[in-house]
Amino acid sequence: MPDPSIAIEMRNVFKRFPNPGGGEVIAVNNVSLQIKDGEFFSLLGPSGCGKTTSLRMIAGFELPTEGEIYVHEKPIGQTPPYKRPINTVFQNYALFPHMTIGQNVAFGLEMDRVPKGEALERVTKALEMVRLPGYEKRHPRQLSGGQQQRVALARALVKRPEVLLLDEPLGALDLKLRKEMQLELKKLQREVGITFIYVTHDQEEALTMSDRIAVMSGGHVLQIGSANEIYERPNCRFVADFIGETSFLEGKIKSQQGRAIEVELKGGHLAHAESDLSLTNGQDVTVAIRPEKMHLGAGHFTRENLLKGTVDEIVYIGTDTHYRVQLPGGQTLRVREQNTDPTSRHLAEVGNAVEVGFPIAAARVLTE
């Protein structure tokens, strides 16, 4: 039964492009997903994973080879872009340099033949919305990169789209401004209340801004979930490796009791971890652990997980110190200790034998 709370749905969508050799490249491979009304939804993945092609099909700049796309239950897969209740903000902003800011924002309204009085009112409101009131008479060259990005947002929002698409719109900004604009964009999305679909390859950006994230690779959607779900409970090695930093330990299932798993690691250590999967004894698996979840020394994790190894690298980065610990069997752990005491020295030195402790809940069993 149709769900009116779904703003965008991709249903079994494929996009194939011909290649010079006479074959074809599958850019988007049987993608199905639902994006809720008023949601900040990110498509995240490396270059060539299919995220931008998916966005372009939602916008109408590309048409699906197979499957269908819906906006509020209406099929739009073959509808031209100008007939879709959707607007797009691009990375390069695409502002007209010879026009004033007011003219840039009003351009789409003129194309839609909106009366001048109404258009002026909507332009004023849109610029106030992006915190640029009174900028109507300026030109793009007089604005900073961040201000130009806001003008591009105002131009998209002034048409009151049902869905706003953002194709790496912060990519041209410096790091400090990009972080500021991340928070502003999220705040703006909450204020206007419309659906934002955001394409990025920046994991931190997606985690910071999104209500939910779809992680893509090779044209497939591998996992959809909240930032917490994607980071804390990745469903495969690619997601665990792409989002943040992760240590991976190879081993075999020794036993399972409900969600509690005992894994025999290469080198003889036992690791206790969690999984929602039904696994079999002897099955090859990978245990994924985030560096910040582990600590040097037995501490209070002794009864849960305690692995012995040797420190072979220490990197001090100010807020944290990173330790690389070699385990028996040739496997490696990366441990991140926060530097809370400015007078303290390293917890260990290169060559020291150490114990690495971590809770069961921090170790996740992956099968692919």
Side-chain angles (χ1 to χ4, degrees):
M1 184 176 178
D3 184 348
S5 70
I6 302 301
I8 293 287
E9 180 176 5
M10 297 179 71
R11 193 179 298 170
N12 304 117
V13 172
F14 290 80
K15 181 61 182 179
R16 302 184 181 94
F17 293 102
N19 65 27
E24 62 182 15
V25 174
I26 303 177
V28 174
N29 195 340
N30 197 22
V31 167
S32 294
L33 57 82
Q34 293 181 328
I35 301 170
K36 299 172 185 176
D37 209 15
E39 186 172 34
F40 198 121
F41 189 94
S42 289
L43 297 171
L44 172 66
S47 298
C49 72
K51 59 187 186 297
T52 295
T53 301
S54 297
L55 195 81
R56 289 177 61 83
M57 286 192 288
I58 295 170
F61 304 137
E62 301 284 354
L63 301 180
T65 309
E66 291 181 41
E68 185 55 274
I69 299 172
Y70 299 84
V71 174
H72 289 121
E73 305 177 18
K74 297 176 183 176
I76 59 157
Q78 303 300 315
T79 304
Y82 66 90
K83 290 188 176 181
R84 301 186 185 200
I86 295 171
N87 260 5
T88 306
V89 177
F90 299 99
Q91 182 176 339
N92 63 1
Y93 315 138
L95 301 179
F96 299 114
H98 63 285
M99 291 185 179
T100 66
I101 299 308
Q103 290 168 337
N104 265 282
V105 177
F107 183 77
L109 300 180
E110 290 180 13
M111 296 298 100
D112 292 343
R113 301 184 185 278
V114 174
K116 285 189 177 181
E118 181 186 345
L120 180 60
E121 185 179 329
R122 285 167 64 173
V123 168
T124 300
K125 187 173 181 180
L127 287 173
E128 288 174 352
M129 201 179 297
V130 298
R131 298 171 184 82
L132 290 176
Y135 277 62
E136 288 88 343
K137 301 298 183 183
R138 302 193 192 188
H139 284 79
R141 65 178 179 275
Q142 297 174 288
L143 274 56
S144 68
Q147 289 170 329
Q148 289 183 36
Q149 199 260 4
R150 292 188 212 175
V151 173
L153 276 169
R155 187 176 58 183
L157 292 169
V158 78
K159 294 191 68 175
R160 298 172 181 167
E162 294 178 24
V163 177
L164 185 63
L165 310 179
L166 302 105
D167 188 4
E168 305 214 36
L170 308 183
L173 304 180
D174 63 65
L175 179 61
K176 183 178 179 182
L177 182 56
R178 191 160 70 240
K179 288 184 176 296
E180 291 174 2
M181 289 303 300
Q182 288 171 10
L183 300 177
E184 285 204 28
L185 259 182
K186 181 59 182 173
K187 184 177 180 181
L188 177 63
Q189 189 267 338
R190 286 180 180 145
E191 290 172 356
V192 299
I194 66 174
T195 306
F196 276 30
I197 304 177
Y198 194 93
V199 160
T200 183
H201 64 274
D202 187 316
Q203 304 96 313
E204 183 180 338
E205 193 166 89
L207 293 172
T208 299
M209 302 169 70
S210 311
D211 296 316
R212 286 192 305 148
I213 301 165
V215 182
M216 297 188 69
S217 177
H220 296 276
V221 171
L222 301 182
Q223 185 172 358
I224 298 175
S226 67
N228 180 272
E229 289 168 341
I230 294 288
Y231 187 83
E232 301 290 353
R233 296 185 294 282
N235 65 359
C236 64
R237 182 164 181 151
F238 179 89
V239 173
D241 197 27
F242 189 74
I243 307 292
E245 188 179 356
T246 308
S247 288
F248 296 103
L249 299 176
E250 308 298 330
K252 295 180 181 293
I253 297 295
K254 186 173 183 183
S255 66
Q256 177 173 12
Q257 291 186 338
R259 297 184 70 251
I261 312 292
E262 190 174 47
V263 179
E264 185 172 353
L265 304 175
K266 292 178 180 178
H269 275 308
L270 289 180
H272 299 88
E274 291 186 345
S275 176
D276 299 319
L277 303 172
S278 179
L279 304 165
T280 57
N281 291 351
Q283 182 177 348
D284 289 326
V285 294
T286 301
V287 179
I289 319 154
R290 300 289 186 187
E292 72 275 9
K293 311 289 187 185
M294 295 181 280
H295 298 280
L296 295 183
H300 58 285
F301 298 138
T302 305
R303 293 188 302 276
E304 299 188 14
N305 279 297
L306 193 63
L307 306 182
K308 296 182 178 182
T310 304
V311 175
D312 75 347
E313 182 183 79
I314 300 173
V315 179
Y316 175 81
I317 62 167
T319 57
D320 309 299
T321 300
H322 295 193
Y323 298 86
R324 189 172 67 187
V325 178
Q326 288 288 342
L327 303 180
Q331 303 205 75
T332 302
L333 286 176
R334 291 191 175 273
V335 182
R336 185 185 303 162
E337 294 282 5
Q338 192 170 8
N339 297 323
T340 55
D341 183 353
T343 64
S344 67
R345 295 173 56 81
H346 295 326
L347 298 177
E349 301 297 335
V350 172
N352 285 174
V354 293
E355 295 176 317
V356 179
F358 54 93
I360 292 173
R364 186 152 183 90
V365 174
L366 305 175
T367 58
E368 57 180 302

